[in-house]
Amino acid sequence: MRKLLIQLIFIPLFFCSSESVTEPIKNYSLTVNAISGGSVNTLGGNFQAGEIVTLLATADPGFYFTGWSNGSTKNPLLISLFSDQNITANFEEITFSLFINTVGEGNVSETLISSGRTTDYTSGSIVKLTAEPSNNWNFIRWTGDHVSTENPIEINIIEDKNITAIFGESEHEQDSEVIPLSTDRIYISQIVEDNIEQRDFIIQTPDIIDLDKSYPIVFAFHGRNTLNTSWVNKLKSFTDNGSFIGVYPQGFLKTWNIGEAGSETSKANDIEFIELIIEELNKYSNLNFDKMYAIGTSNGSLLVNKIGIELSYFKAIAPIVSQLTEGLPLLPNTQPVSVYQVNGAGDSIVPIDGGPKLGHVFYDSLDSAYLWSNHFDCDSIPEIQNLGQDTLYVFKNCSNDKEVRYLRVENGEHNLHWGNPELFDKIWTFFQRF
């Protein structure tokens, strides 16, 4: 009997020791918020202990992500849950600086038209700038990130901007009398990298001006490391016979600043320089500003493309031995302009088939012509003319009665325009139609 009792006592102990103990699974809550200016990919929820949750913050337009309420700035952020957590994504409005400078005696007042702040402005703010000259001084123009002679102006702040107001003394103003045309070298002041530089251009005219005639104007832009005097002899037959007045600007540091990541050393705003030249030319008699054209070679050809894209003064352009580049795209507001593009199949400096060179990525030359023609709604299929070994592609019926031409010179090298007066005859014949 005693022996049986001992066995009964040990039986329940045996069964109890054989049972496994299962810990209950813990869940934790994650609460996710975003302040005004953005959102997060999740609002949170309940998650098992140790579970990893990915949080991704996305800023709204005009805002940027600054970090999480737990101090982390990682985005996306991985959260491993071992306790209840509450985390918030923080955003701030993007602001841009507006730097105002003056040359001469005067001030500039700023008036905020739309939302923003008084020094750093939120993206999309509209600021009115009014140039206020001192006594005996006149406002001349704005330069820098805004070029115009209007006053006041309204600036849309979508990036940092640096704008300079130029004032001139009243007693030094040009006489209102129109200046007669003659061959001359003219100097213009321009701010380049915070320095006032004297830049020049040549006006080339016939010896005798026909006072009853308004002469067309042809701007010609030299290549890299070249002087503007190189155009004098090339176009002298045209200026001597009065076909047009030649205007030959000089590149700063002998190059033109295309405004993209090229190998040019100049940081001058050459679009502004061209507008300053046009402003100066308005003081002269017998010029027809409705018949203004531009030719460029090499680096100057790149600038001519930029002119065609960004300015509307010119009726036709002729970029010689350079096509469009990826860094200089046609813009939605690019106005129709007639184009006579010339490229050499043997050009080793600017490859006719395109590709990276000189810090630029060039389009294929024919593709470049198609880009112009498509942008101006020309005929989609060009008329092709065989000119001996050379080929001329003509895109007709463009907007505003413009036309795009592409001449492939089969044996042409980068200097194909040297000693080739027939090429300039073709270009001038083309220009005169517009």
Side-chain angles (χ1 to χ4, degrees):
M1 181 68 178
R2 183 176 179 180
K3 184 177 180 180
L4 179 60
L5 179 61
I6 293 172
Q7 289 177 335
L8 291 173
I9 291 172
F10 276 97
I11 287 173
L13 292 175
F14 173 78
F15 284 110
C16 289
S17 63
S18 66
E19 291 181 357
S20 61
V21 179
T22 303
E23 292 289 335
I25 298 174
K26 293 184 178 180
N27 290 312
Y28 297 104
S29 67
L30 173 64
T31 304
V32 181
N33 300 290
I35 68 170
S36 177
S39 60
V40 184
N41 62 327
T42 178
L43 297 177
N46 292 317
F47 301 90
Q48 293 183 0
E51 187 172 350
I52 296 175
V53 182
T54 301
L55 304 183
L56 177 64
T58 303
D60 292 338
F63 289 80
Y64 67 99
F65 172 70
T66 60
W68 305 96
S69 56
N70 66 357
S72 175
T73 56
K74 292 182 178 179
N75 191 34
L77 176 67
L78 302 182
I79 297 289
S80 183
L81 291 171
F82 290 100
S83 63
D84 294 337
Q85 293 194 44
N86 189 320
I87 190 166
T88 300
N90 297 310
F91 303 90
E92 289 188 9
E93 282 192 90
I94 298 172
T95 60
F96 299 106
S97 298
L98 175 60
F99 302 98
I100 303 297
N101 311 292
T102 59
V103 174
E105 297 293 331
N107 300 299
V108 176
S109 65
E110 301 177 40
T111 303
L112 183 62
I113 295 177
S114 70
S115 62
R117 294 195 289 271
T118 56
T119 52
D120 287 341
Y121 294 95
T122 55
S123 179
S125 294
I126 306 296
V127 181
K128 182 169 75 171
L129 301 182
T130 304
E132 300 168 343
S134 300
N135 290 335
N136 299 319
W137 288 74
N138 293 310
F139 170 72
I140 299 176
R141 63 181 179 271
W142 304 98
T143 66
D145 290 330
H146 183 91
V147 179
S148 80
T149 57
E150 295 181 4
N151 188 36
I153 57 174
E154 292 185 2
I155 303 297
N156 185 8
I157 307 295
I158 56 174
E159 60 185 347
D160 290 339
K161 289 187 178 291
N162 194 322
I163 298 174
T164 299
I166 305 293
F167 300 95
E169 289 186 85
S170 300
E171 62 186 19
H172 292 160
E173 285 187 321
Q174 293 287 339
D175 192 278
S176 59
E177 183 178 349
V178 175
I179 302 173
L181 269 179
S182 64
T183 298
D184 200 359
R185 185 184 295 271
I186 310 298
Y187 290 87
I188 293 177
S189 296
Q190 186 186 22
I191 297 175
V192 180
E193 294 189 297
D194 298 325
N195 296 314
I196 299 178
E197 303 288 349
Q198 296 298 313
R199 302 191 62 183
D200 71 273
F201 66 95
I202 294 171
I203 299 178
Q204 188 174 15
T205 73
D207 291 335
I208 300 175
I209 299 297
D210 183 350
L211 298 180
D212 295 324
K213 179 177 179 178
S214 290
Y215 292 87
I217 306 166
V218 173
F219 279 65
F221 298 92
H222 61 76
R224 185 196 308 263
N225 296 325
T226 310
L227 297 174
N228 53 358
T229 51
S230 64
W231 282 106
V232 171
N233 288 330
K234 289 176 185 173
L235 300 181
K236 193 172 188 299
S237 62
F238 297 98
T239 56
D240 279 355
N241 67 20
S243 295
F244 56 77
I245 301 300
V247 176
Y248 315 140
Q250 177 62 50
F252 186 66
L253 302 178
K254 297 182 181 180
T255 65
W256 303 106
N257 179 16
I258 308 306
E260 52 176 318
S263 58
E264 294 83 15
T265 55
S266 172
K267 302 302 179 186
N269 184 339
D270 286 317
I271 292 297
E272 175 190 71
F273 181 44
I274 294 163
E275 292 192 307
L276 293 175
I277 292 174
I278 294 171
E279 180 182 326
E280 184 70 21
L281 291 175
N282 273 284
K283 301 175 184 177
Y284 287 79
S285 62
N286 299 98
L287 291 177
N288 186 353
F289 291 94
D290 290 327
K291 291 284 186 179
M292 195 153 60
Y293 314 98
I295 300 174
T297 58
S298 191
N299 178 225
S301 178
L302 278 171
L303 181 62
V304 165
N305 284 330
K306 186 177 177 70
I307 288 169
I309 292 169
E310 298 183 16
L311 298 178
S312 58
Y313 303 107
F314 296 87
K315 297 296 188 257
I317 61 173
I320 302 173
V321 294
S322 182
Q323 57 270 36
L324 291 169
T325 66
E326 291 184 4
L328 197 62
L330 297 171
L331 303 174
N333 61 348
T334 296
Q335 298 298 306
V337 60
S338 291
V339 180
Y340 198 127
Q341 176 186 305
V342 182
N343 293 88
D347 192 337
S348 61
I349 296 178
V350 177
I352 196 168
D353 296 327
K357 200 79 171 181
L358 302 172
H360 304 280
V361 179
F362 293 89
Y363 286 109
D364 173 88
S365 296
L366 181 56
D367 289 346
S368 173
Y370 271 103
L371 286 171
W372 285 112
S373 65
N374 291 339
H375 198 77
F376 300 150
D377 296 323
C378 309
D379 289 344
S380 58
I381 300 176
E383 174 187 298
I384 300 177
Q385 302 176 18
N386 294 317
L387 307 176
Q389 290 184 319
D390 304 334
T391 307
L392 179 65
Y393 299 81
V394 182
F395 299 84
K396 297 183 176 181
N397 300 314
C398 309
S399 298
N400 296 358
D401 297 322
K402 302 300 184 182
E403 184 176 288
V404 174
R405 292 191 168 202
Y406 162 51
L407 176 63
R408 177 189 172 103
V409 181
E410 205 56 45
N411 294 318
E413 298 182 358
H414 198 63
N415 60 355
L416 62 82
H417 57 285
W418 293 0
N420 188 0
E422 294 83 4
L423 176 62
F424 296 117
D425 286 337
K426 293 176 182 176
I427 291 172
W428 175 236
T429 299
F430 177 76
F431 280 175
Q432 290 180 86
R433 294 170 45 209
F434 307 99

